[in-house]
Amino acid sequence: MSLFGSFKKKKSAQRAKDRLNVAITLDRDSNLYPYLDELKIEIMQIVQKYSKIKDVRINKEKVDDQDILDIEIVLDEDSKT
Amino acid sequence: MGIIFSIISGKGGVGKTTTAANLAIGTAMQGKKTVVVDFDIGQRNLDMILGLENRVVYDITHVMDGDVRLRQALIPFKKNENLYFLAASQTKDKTVLNKEKVEKVLSELKKEFEYIFIDAPAGIESGFEHAVYFADAVIVVVNPEVSSIRDSDRAIGIVDAKSKKSQEGKRVAKYLIINRINPDLVQKGEMLSSEDILDILEIDLLGKVPEDQIIIEASNTGHPVILNEKSEAGRAFKRISRRLCGEEVPFVDIESVKHSGLLKSIKKMFQ
Ligand SMILES: Nc1ncnc2c1ncn2[C@@H]1O[C@H](COP(=O)(O)OP(=O)(O)OP(=O)(O)O)[C@@H](O)[C@H]1O
Ligand SMILES: [Mg+2]
């Protein structure tokens, strides 16, 4: 055993593992709700029956350990009349 | 009622078609009525890997469009009477598949066969979604390499979100095959080990397949490696097929380098 063994650069497989763990965790977080686009379209269709709307914004949040979908319906100016 | 296994990968070129061909032959060799279906529309390859390219008259689109009956499009595999093959169409139009038509063909196949393997296209587009929508189980093929592993995780996520079983609140079984393992590199710490890969992806291991030169010869001749006793990859596929048929087959540690070859040749020198 070499005295310098422990100072040696990390093997590349270990680096691959570390980097993959980070990348995949991020990927999974950004894909938690694969249905968001469809949801947005359906919400727009429903609300449009009652009021003119400008946009539906959906934000993903995490408060403590609770996942929250924050849905914001932005009404059109003319909709008040 | 048969079981539908979809063979997926995310990244292309990692060995889905090779796996589909070999496992289908494997379960057929175990006496199971098996069919293997090419869902890679426009990129038909499975016919050549199985050595059946000259036999294709009708393909899956003809069946879905009602031009011919399923029976007429199923091609028997000469080397094993339990196996049939259904070809993909070579059209450039990928929209030929739609849910209703796919379901009709697959439910017919489920009545006739015990094992149905679907060779899915690479990527996560609509062709992929059709290939996994009706799956009872998916077999994820990866290479020990970062892009393949990352892309496979994305593909697994889509199976969880979009397959029929998931949408009905049921679980789609997911199994991992690690293909093209190079034991030397794993030993040197320069290739991800199967343990590492299982840690990252968190799915069940179905088998490990080594890098094997004989696979090139197999695709040249249309004679898959599982039919070749000398091929290490072929033996690996055979073990996986037996697992799929419910047998408890211990995992072989193919990642430790064996120098038996060298040792044998040295011994020979002294004989
Ligand atoms: N274990 C192995 N050892 C050596 N070569 C292999 C191995 N597995 C696959 N290959 C080779 O890798 C190439 C790609 O394999 P294959 O066509 O099965 O991949 P695929 O995932 O179906 O590709 P695509 O995404 O394009 O459909 C082929 O040339 C095949 O011979
Ligand atoms: Mg393929």
Side-chain angles (χ1 to χ4, degrees), chain A residues 11-14 16-21 23-24 27-28 31 34 38, chain B residues 146 149-150 153-154 161-162 188-192 196 199-202:
Chain A
K11 293 282 201 217
S12 75
Q14 185 57 47
K17 187 178 183 186
D18 297 343
R19 292 172 59 227
L20 270 171
N21 270 326
I24 285 182
D27 287 348
R28 284 181 187 168
N31 289 303
E38 281 129 298
Chain B
V146 288
I149 292 167
R150 185 187 193 182
D153 193 69
R154 294 271 285 121
K162 298 261 170 107
K188 283 190 207 146
E190 277 156 19
M191 179 178 269
L192 285 157
D196 290 338
D199 267 357
I200 296 166
L201 291 177
E202 301 169 296

Side-chain angles (χ1 to χ4, degrees), chain B residues 17-18 21-22 45-53 218-219 221-224:
Chain B
T17 302
T18 307
N22 282 289
N45 274 323
L46 190 53
D47 55 348
M48 289 212 78
I49 298 302
L50 288 169
L52 294 174
E53 67 278 8
S219 56
T221 55
H223 190 76

Side-chain angles (χ1 to χ4, degrees), chain B residues 15-35:
Chain B
K16 289 179 295 301
T17 302
T18 307
T19 301
N22 282 289
L23 294 188
I25 298 173
T27 55
M29 285 161 76
Q30 298 290 309
K32 307 289 184 190
K33 273 211 92 183
T34 304
V35 64

